[in-house]
Amino acid sequence: MSERTLAIIKPDAVRKQVIGDIIHRYEQAGLRPIAMKMLRMTKAVAEGFYAVHRERPFFDSLTTFMASGPVVVLVLEGDDAIKRNRDLMGATDPAKAAPGTIRAVYGASIEANAVHGSDSPETAQFEIQYFFASMEFAGG
Ligand code: ADP
Ligand code: MG
């Protein structure tokens, strides 16, 4: 079933200059970018995005990191896009991510782990509308 998921190329990966390689990996995996932009989150925007994690001990550090530099946010569309992207990303901790996954290749730590991907249809819907208005969907 065709689905949409939200992906973020995080500040650490943008600093490494691997935006192009990560987007190439999405396309090679059959995940088609249908909306995309580069932006810098404020701390408040990062806190709203990660609100489900507000009670976690890493919340302040995570949201400071996400606001530390520009990110690329994308909506990816394709069959089983949510799980397909999670598989392509690898585990949250790059040290535990399967070889060849984006986080295994580019992640530096459990926090600076290169990419975000929605984990369910409900979070995908929330996360897509958090960053994109309907008029911004160039490809669908
Ligand atoms: P995922 O991004 O794989 O869905 P989570 O939703 O559990 O992982 O966490 C959101 C983000 O918070 C992670 O991608 C990572 O950047 C950060 N994070 C998760 N766990 C930790 C941790 N123990 N310490 C620091 N940062 C963490
Ligand atoms: Mg998550």
Side-chain angles (χ1 to χ4, degrees):
M1 190 187 70
S2 186
E3 277 179 341
R4 291 177 177 186
T5 190
L6 186 92
I8 303 177
I9 303 174
K10 293 185 179 185
D12 59 316
V14 173
R15 280 192 281 270
K16 282 185 174 135
Q17 299 186 199
V18 292
I19 294 169
D21 183 64
I22 291 173
I23 293 175
H24 185 60
R25 286 164 187 263
Y26 295 146
E27 292 186 324
Q28 295 262 298
L31 295 165
R32 198 165 60 92
I34 59 165
M36 174 163 64
K37 58 190 168 187
M38 192 169 201
L39 56 89
R40 182 160 178 172
M41 293 190 214
T42 62
K43 174 100 161 139
V45 166
E47 288 169 355
F49 181 75
Y50 278 121
V52 292
H53 292 313
R54 64 186 169 275
E55 304 301 332
R56 303 281 201 98
F58 57 79
F59 182 69
D60 184 60
S61 177
L62 169 63
T63 53
T64 298
F65 162 65
M66 290 299 286
S68 70
V71 299
V72 177
V73 289
L74 311 90
V75 179
L76 302 174
E77 187 173 77
D79 286 342
D80 207 14
I82 295 168
K83 180 171 188 301
R84 191 181 290 235
N85 186 40
R86 294 290 306 195
D87 290 347
L88 186 65
M89 289 162 60
T92 306
D93 182 351
K96 295 179 182 154
T101 59
I102 295 171
R103 283 168 163 173
V105 174
Y106 293 124
S109 69
I110 194 167
E111 178 175 273
N113 58 4
V115 284
H116 168 85
S118 309
D119 64 4
S120 73
E122 293 71 32
T123 56
Q125 192 181 17
F126 167 78
E127 291 174 358
I128 289 169
Q129 63 79 39
Y130 193 80
F131 283 114
F132 292 97
S134 55
M135 61 178 283
E136 294 178 277
F137 287 80

